[in-house]
Amino acid sequence: MISGATALSFVLVCLLGAMAPGPDFLVVTRSAILGGRKAGVAAGLGIALGVFVWVVAIALGVGAILTVSAVAFTVVKMIGAAYLIFLGVKAWLAVRRGDYGELKDKVAPVVEPREAFRQGLLTNLLNPKVAVFFLALVPQFLPHSASTAQTLQLAVLATMVAVVWTFVLATLVGSLRRFFASGRVRRAMDAVMGTLLVGLGIRVAVQN
């Protein structure tokens, strides 16, 4: 088993990584704005599942392929960048259509939890930098002759951090649901989020 001090240090580092603005942050925020707290939490759960998959892949040695093979890394990176740009363009198209009515409490959310979960999962899984982050991080918190069970313990901790942080973020954004009920505000946020997602996708594509 991982010692308590080691586990706590790992959790704190994972939390700092999770809080850094990036694709996951944008997807949770946009989901919570358009679908309320439930959609934001669903996106967060998708991201958390992605984190778990990446850490388990590292435990099985699969994640190392991305650092060894430039082709594999580039392929995943470009697919991830394309997906971010797709989400951004989708937001832009919504702005162009201008179909933004005033949301009522009983009106169905713009983004359903199932769609938000899928977006969160794909955004995380298609981000090879998540794999590189954990590939560099996990060995620092494992003994030299670590067992698979110890690696999986870190995977569970990383997943829990992702769940807690995205839940807090989704709750904070979702609590502003009344503010975002305005069609004008949602249109402005879609324009901003679309621009950020496209810009982030382009940045991911051109970065080494």
Side-chain angles (χ1 to χ4, degrees):
M1 296 292 288
I2 302 297
S3 68
T6 299
L8 179 60
S9 299
F10 180 75
V11 165
L12 291 176
V13 175
C14 286
L15 181 59
L16 290 175
M19 294 175 66
D24 293 347
F25 182 91
L26 290 179
V27 168
V28 172
T29 301
R30 185 171 185 271
S31 296
I33 289 174
L34 298 180
R37 185 175 67 87
K38 287 185 179 180
V41 170
L45 291 176
I47 289 167
L49 178 58
V51 168
F52 183 80
V53 170
W54 275 124
V55 180
V56 170
I58 289 169
L60 298 175
V62 177
I65 296 175
L66 292 178
T67 60
V68 175
S69 172
V71 174
F73 182 88
T74 301
V75 168
V76 175
K77 182 183 73 169
M78 296 306 293
I79 293 175
Y83 186 67
L84 291 175
I85 293 172
F86 165 76
L87 293 178
V89 171
K90 187 176 179 180
W92 278 350
L93 291 175
V95 172
R96 184 176 181 179
R97 288 194 303 268
D99 186 17
Y100 292 92
E102 299 297 311
L103 291 181
K104 307 295 183 182
D105 291 337
K106 296 183 180 180
V107 174
V110 178
V111 175
E112 294 290 343
R114 181 180 298 181
E115 180 185 355
F117 177 86
R118 183 175 64 252
Q119 290 182 359
L121 177 61
L122 290 177
T123 298
N124 191 272
L125 288 180
L126 295 176
N127 185 357
K129 291 191 174 181
V130 176
V132 173
F133 172 77
F134 283 111
L135 193 61
L137 181 66
V138 168
Q140 309 303 318
F141 292 89
L142 289 173
H144 181 67
S145 56
S147 64
T148 301
Q150 289 174 313
T151 306
L152 291 178
Q153 184 181 352
L154 293 186
V156 171
L157 289 174
T159 303
M160 290 175 61
V161 169
V163 169
V164 171
W165 164 242
T166 52
F167 178 83
V168 171
L169 177 61
T171 300
L172 289 175
V173 177
S175 65
L176 301 175
R177 179 70 168 166
R178 289 186 179 180
F179 173 72
F180 292 117
S182 167
R184 181 177 300 179
V185 171
R186 295 201 327 279
R187 182 171 186 171
M189 290 304 302
D190 256 351
V192 172
M193 287 293 180
T195 301
L196 290 175
L197 285 167
V198 170
L200 189 57
I202 294 174
R203 180 181 177 185
V204 168
V206 299
Q207 279 186 334
N208 295 324

